[in-house]
Amino acid sequence: MTIFTSSVTQPLTRLLLLSSLLLTGCSTFSNDQTEETVSDIPASAQSTTPSTATGNWTELQNSANFIAQRNGRFFKVQLKTPHRVISTSSYNGGEQTDLNYLVNHQSMEARADMRWVNRVLQNSPEQYQQLIADEIGIPADKMALMGTAANMQLLAHQQQIFTPDGSSPDASSALVIDVYATAGVRGNAMRAGDPTSWYETPEGNKKHSPKKHGSKNSPQKKSEKNKSDMHGTINIMVLINQPVSAGAMNKLQIITTEAKSAAMNELAVSSRYTRHLATGTGTDQMIIASPLAKDGEYSLNSGSGHLKLGEQVGSAVRKAVLQALVWQNGLPTSAQATIYNALGRFGGRNRLTEKNLMSRLLPYLPEAEQKQAERNPYSFSHENRVVASAYALASVLDRFAYSTLTPNAKNETIRDFVAQAAVAISGRSDRYAFYWQQLNAPISVTNVEQSEHQAVELFIQALAIGWLDKWPEKLLSAQQTSKKIAFLHLDPKLGDLDGNTQLLTQAIQQAAAAGAEWILTPELALSGYRFTLAIGEDWIQPAPDQWTRQLQTLADDLDVVLFLGHVEQASDGNKYNTLFVIGRDGEIIGKHHKIQTIPVSEAWSTKGTEPQLVTVDNQQVGLLICADAYRDSHANKLKQAGADLIISAANWAPGEYGPRDSWRQRSLETGLPLFVNNRTGLEVRPPVEGTTSQFDLRQAISAVAYQGKHQVEHQNSGNSILLVNWDFETQALVSQRSFELMTE
């Protein structure tokens, strides 16, 4: 149970005593909790818990020595033979040889579960043990008990088997270790020896209140008085299939503790109370059991890590704790690969967090670079080489704090490592000496916390310097000559506005992740072509409607230009088939109404009057929709108006009424590249007068036409993305690639 500062009321003192003697490791109490808060649930509520004694137990394992079962909040091991058991159980703890049951249970929910806290508070350890025994229908005096706020459905199991001389795992000589563990470290992870304010007396736990001139490392510092409502306990149960002597069992407690700490070290879990890495939590518990030797039977006499018994126990415990932390706290090793996990334990109240990174980084960047940096936080916090440099710096700071390294070399050494962070983000190893010279700031020699804060701040400055070298302004011309343009070759579903918005969202995100700067969509990408057959036209609204606004926000977030084929209703009530241009800030910067609307199919749509131009990234972009490219007049008007290129959204199937050579001819006549984003799929239409029809676009192509030729053609019967890099200065294809859309 996580402990926090408070006025010492009798219930809280009892709570603290129970937390150290009993089993929980789960609930948090903040400064303002009083006796009334703790005891506001009537005692009668404690007797209404339904019994699980006859409930549905799920068998997890059945071996020669034990049966392992789970039921709701409880995990139970029933021993089939007499065992030597060593446990931290507050009742029946220590070494016992007459126990039949080993139990781990969820004693309460992790956060502020006062009803179940009261259940603990209102009973002695013996009484609470009896309550749990009654609930699961076993004798209290035959049980060793552990408790936690962790969910028993997230119980981890690891088994290690050693077979001497290559014998079968089922052989009597095989050494089998089973470890069951639950684990949480979010709230009270700590390093052994971290300072505390509580001590035990015969009258209960009391708080030690040092004078103000006491240790500044005391947990009573203001910054540590109000912890968040988070918790943690690591409970470990080790089951060995061969007899083990009492001395060896005690040695295995050391091995188990070391293995737990090794798992914490692998994940670089920080103490919640000091700047150190944690070795466990303040409420960890364990049970170790092995069968008693029968007459003449050999007992293993050493739990040394140099022998297989110690190795196998250590390995199984480490793996089980890692697995439990992944499930309970979401802590896979990969999730720890952030600069926050590496450096977030340094600097006291000024520690580095995800919330304050940008506010600390942006002042080191010119205004022109700040927005781009804000939009790409992972480039600073998660990039692998950057994270590696952060962990390297953390290790060095530990060495200085522990006096392994002389403080006289602190300034130069820290500059060595933060300069590497600049290299990591810029990719410019040739600039290491320059970075080292630039990153010159005072580092305290005597004040550890201050020097660590200064080192982390210098690391942040290094990220800024590296960022500016990664994207040097001098390499940007006044007009960028090439663009990466994504064609979203998609299969929108007829009338499914929400579903198609989600499809476009996923495609836009994946295109942007692939480096796209402009993203094109098909004609009527949000509604499907003959949408009136499915949903009519009354839903059409003035632009932007709710679906357009979602994609505007996305364009702003991803810093891309979006060419969106959709519908709109004008102020005069006319409805149009429209190609919107949405800028990098999410605003609509231009649009074109389709001129060559198709009778019947687009009877809902008013014809546009003139093809439109819009300025995008210093390029004059002409806009067309599908059949607008069938004749030369509209493309020629765009050429005469000064267009540098033409973009068309299409919903145009091949065949008798297909585009044929329209795109090639328009590019030849105008001398302009024509980028056509078509669609794919099979549009199945609702029955009309009993007849069902379909529009087959599975063979339709998206294309880039220039000088009378298709420089690029893309066809795919499924959702896919074509990415084209086009140089507008030379009017040449730089590169192209396509990939399937990954949909959820």
Side-chain angles (χ1 to χ4, degrees):
M1 185 174 295
T2 309
I3 307 303
F4 298 109
T5 59
S6 170
S7 58
V8 184
T9 62
Q10 182 60 31
L12 182 55
T13 303
R14 189 175 180 192
L15 168 65
L16 297 169
L17 177 60
L18 287 172
S19 71
S20 61
L21 295 180
L22 192 58
L23 40 87
T24 56
C26 34
S27 188
T28 300
F29 294 84
S30 58
N31 296 31
D32 58 355
Q33 286 173 312
T34 63
E35 181 171 350
E36 288 75 17
T37 304
V38 172
S39 58
D40 60 358
I41 305 298
S44 60
Q46 314 310 318
S47 61
T48 60
T49 305
S51 173
T52 61
T54 59
N56 295 319
W57 289 87
T58 299
E59 185 176 291
L60 303 182
Q61 188 178 0
N62 193 338
S63 73
N65 293 316
F66 64 85
I67 300 174
Q69 298 174 301
R70 179 171 56 204
N71 186 356
R73 298 183 295 111
F74 299 93
F75 170 67
K76 175 182 70 177
V77 168
Q78 181 176 352
L79 302 174
K80 296 181 178 180
T81 62
H83 275 61
R84 187 188 313 279
V85 177
I86 293 181
S87 78
T88 56
S89 180
S90 60
Y91 184 74
N92 288 340
E95 182 181 346
Q96 302 286 341
T97 57
D98 60 349
L99 301 182
N100 301 122
Y101 300 95
L102 315 175
V103 176
N104 188 10
H105 81 297
Q106 183 180 6
S107 57
M108 61 188 72
E109 289 296 339
R111 301 188 177 192
D113 191 354
M114 297 308 304
R115 297 173 305 163
W116 292 87
V117 168
N118 284 331
R119 191 171 189 246
V120 176
L121 293 175
Q122 294 171 3
N123 294 279
S124 68
E126 294 87 348
Q127 290 170 332
Y128 186 83
Q129 178 112 347
Q130 187 64 57
L131 285 173
I132 298 303
D134 290 345
E135 190 170 354
I136 58 178
I138 62 177
D141 61 349
K142 296 297 183 181
M143 172 178 70
L145 182 64
M146 300 186 293
T148 177
N151 193 324
M152 287 302 119
Q153 308 308 309
L154 303 178
L155 179 77
H157 174 220
Q158 289 289 327
Q159 184 179 77
Q160 295 284 121
I161 301 176
F162 169 66
T163 54
D165 306 321
S167 56
S168 167
D170 298 326
S172 60
S173 60
L175 175 63
V176 182
I177 310 296
D178 286 284
V179 174
Y180 288 91
T182 54
V185 295
R186 292 290 194 188
N188 68 339
M190 65 187 305
R191 187 179 76 154
D194 276 355
T196 181
S197 297
W198 297 92
Y199 66 101
E200 184 179 346
T201 75
E203 294 77 32
N205 287 0
K206 294 184 179 180
K207 188 175 82 170
H208 173 57
S209 301
K211 295 180 180 180
K212 290 185 178 180
H213 62 267
S215 169
K216 65 182 179 180
N217 290 323
S218 166
Q220 298 310 305
K221 291 189 298 180
K222 182 178 179 181
S223 64
E224 295 187 7
K225 284 185 178 180
N226 295 304
K227 293 288 184 182
S228 60
D229 196 17
M230 301 171 72
H231 335 281
T233 292
I234 300 175
N235 283 357
I236 301 168
M237 189 181 296
V238 180
L239 302 162
I240 306 165
N241 75 325
Q242 293 188 21
V244 179
S245 70
M249 291 275 280
N250 280 284
K251 172 63 176 176
L252 290 178
Q253 291 186 90
I254 299 175
I255 292 289
T256 298
T257 302
E258 290 174 348
K260 172 196 67 175
S261 298
M264 300 280 281
N265 183 263
E266 280 191 39
L267 296 174
V269 176
S270 299
S271 169
R272 300 281 292 182
Y273 305 97
T274 61
R275 46 84 66 212
H276 304 288
L277 291 173
T279 56
T281 81
T283 52
D284 294 344
Q285 300 145 62
M286 75 171 71
I287 297 174
I288 304 177
S290 67
L292 291 174
K294 300 173 184 176
D295 291 342
E297 187 177 10
Y298 183 75
S299 292
L300 298 173
N301 289 308
S302 176
S304 167
H306 294 293
L307 297 174
K308 279 296 178 182
L309 173 61
E311 174 206 321
Q312 300 292 74
V313 168
S315 178
V317 168
R318 182 184 62 81
K319 292 176 181 177
V321 171
L322 284 172
Q323 187 179 68
L325 288 173
V326 168
W327 291 345
Q328 181 71 33
N329 286 159
L331 288 180
T333 305
S334 59
Q336 302 300 88
T338 70
I339 64 173
Y340 312 119
N341 198 66
L343 297 174
R345 56 192 174 95
F346 300 107
R349 281 181 286 181
N350 295 316
R351 66 190 184 89
L352 176 64
T353 68
E354 190 169 358
K355 291 183 178 180
N356 68 28
L357 171 63
M358 282 300 153
S359 65
R360 297 170 69 172
L361 175 72
L362 296 184
Y364 295 114
L365 293 173
E367 185 175 351
E369 286 294 329
Q370 291 181 0
K371 189 171 185 179
Q372 189 71 0
E374 282 186 292
R375 287 172 164 170
N376 295 275
Y378 273 37
S379 296
F380 302 96
S381 61
H382 288 68
E383 199 282 325
N384 207 54
R385 290 182 68 188
V386 176
V387 175
S389 65
Y391 273 112
L393 176 60
S395 179
V396 166
L397 294 179
D398 281 339
R399 293 306 101 206
F400 281 117
Y402 304 149
S403 299
T404 309
L405 300 174
T406 172
N408 294 329
K410 186 180 291 187
N411 186 283
E412 296 96 321
T413 306
I414 288 174
R415 289 169 71 186
D416 291 343
F417 283 85
V418 296
Q420 184 56 43
V423 169
I425 201 166
S426 72
R428 296 286 304 276
S429 58
D430 60 307
R431 299 273 283 171
Y432 177 86
F434 169 78
Y435 300 147
W436 197 93
Q437 293 167 0
Q438 293 294 308
L439 296 164
N440 187 13
I443 302 292
S444 174
V445 174
T446 57
N447 187 311
V448 171
E449 184 173 311
Q450 182 182 3
S451 69
E452 290 175 348
H453 170 66
Q454 291 167 337
V456 173
E457 194 65 27
L458 200 59
F459 179 88
I460 294 170
Q461 185 180 346
L463 297 183
I465 292 175
W467 179 260
L468 293 176
D469 245 11
K470 182 180 181 181
W471 305 111
E473 184 70 24
K474 64 185 179 182
L475 296 183
L476 295 176
S477 61
Q479 177 175 324
Q480 189 172 347
T481 64
S482 68
K483 290 290 177 190
K484 290 183 179 179
I485 304 172
F487 297 65
L488 306 187
H489 197 76
L490 304 179
D491 178 16
K493 301 306 178 186
L494 195 64
D496 187 2
L497 293 162
D498 291 333
N500 293 334
T501 302
Q502 180 62 26
L503 176 67
L504 279 171
T505 296
Q506 294 177 15
I508 292 167
Q509 289 172 334
Q510 292 176 39
E517 301 163 273
W518 295 2
I519 300 178
L520 317 185
T521 68
E523 177 185 11
L524 299 174
L526 285 170
S527 60
Y529 184 62
R530 290 297 304 276
F531 63 85
T532 55
L533 298 176
I535 57 175
E537 61 180 270
D538 292 342
W539 60 274
I540 300 175
Q541 305 167 17
D545 60 16
Q546 65 188 79
W547 301 281
T548 304
R549 284 195 294 271
Q550 291 181 49
L551 299 180
Q552 287 179 267
T553 300
L554 187 62
D556 181 30
D557 291 343
L558 298 176
D559 193 33
V560 296
V561 179
L562 178 62
F563 295 79
L564 175 65
H566 192 33
V567 300
E568 68 168 323
Q569 178 176 293
S571 58
D572 59 6
N574 288 333
K575 297 170 183 175
Y576 292 98
N577 185 341
T578 304
L579 178 57
F580 294 98
V581 184
I582 299 171
R584 299 179 189 280
D585 59 358
E587 298 298 320
I588 296 174
I589 60 175
K591 61 184 176 181
H592 165 71
H593 295 151
K594 185 176 182 180
I595 303 169
Q596 300 299 142
T597 58
I598 308 301
V600 181
S601 298
E602 297 174 60
W604 59 271
S605 177
T606 301
K607 293 179 180 290
T609 55
E610 296 289 338
Q612 298 298 311
L613 272 179
V614 62
T615 302
V616 182
D617 293 345
N618 296 316
Q619 298 290 330
Q620 298 301 308
V621 181
L623 304 176
L624 299 175
I625 299 176
C626 203
D628 289 346
Y630 193 69
R631 294 185 175 88
D632 61 5
S633 56
H634 305 309
N636 285 334
K637 285 182 180 180
L638 290 172
K639 171 66 174 179
Q640 293 164 10
D644 297 316
L645 69 147
I646 299 173
I647 286 177
S648 176
N651 201 308
W652 210 340
E656 183 180 358
Y657 301 105
R660 300 181 184 176
D661 65 348
S662 298
W663 303 329
R664 286 186 287 263
Q665 286 299 314
R666 301 298 84 82
S667 73
L668 182 62
E669 296 156 358
T670 62
L672 302 177
L674 174 59
F675 300 83
V676 182
N677 195 135
N678 210 346
R679 63 159 289 179
T680 188
L682 186 65
E683 186 173 272
V684 180
R685 294 159 179 177
V688 177
E689 297 180 355
T691 302
T692 300
S693 63
Q694 60 187 31
F695 192 26
D696 192 347
L697 293 105
R698 289 174 292 184
Q699 301 300 316
I701 65 167
S702 293
V704 178
Y706 183 57
Q707 294 182 336
K709 298 179 180 179
H710 283 174
Q711 307 292 326
V712 179
E713 285 188 353
H714 174 75
Q715 181 271 323
N716 192 310
S717 60
N719 293 309
S720 61
I721 298 174
L722 168 67
L723 189 63
V724 170
N725 191 356
W726 186 269
D727 191 317
F728 291 117
E729 183 174 353
T730 62
Q731 296 293 23
L733 177 67
V734 178
S735 64
Q736 64 168 305
R737 69 184 182 96
S738 61
F739 51 93
E740 302 288 333
L741 178 67
M742 302 292 291
T743 56
E744 295 179 358

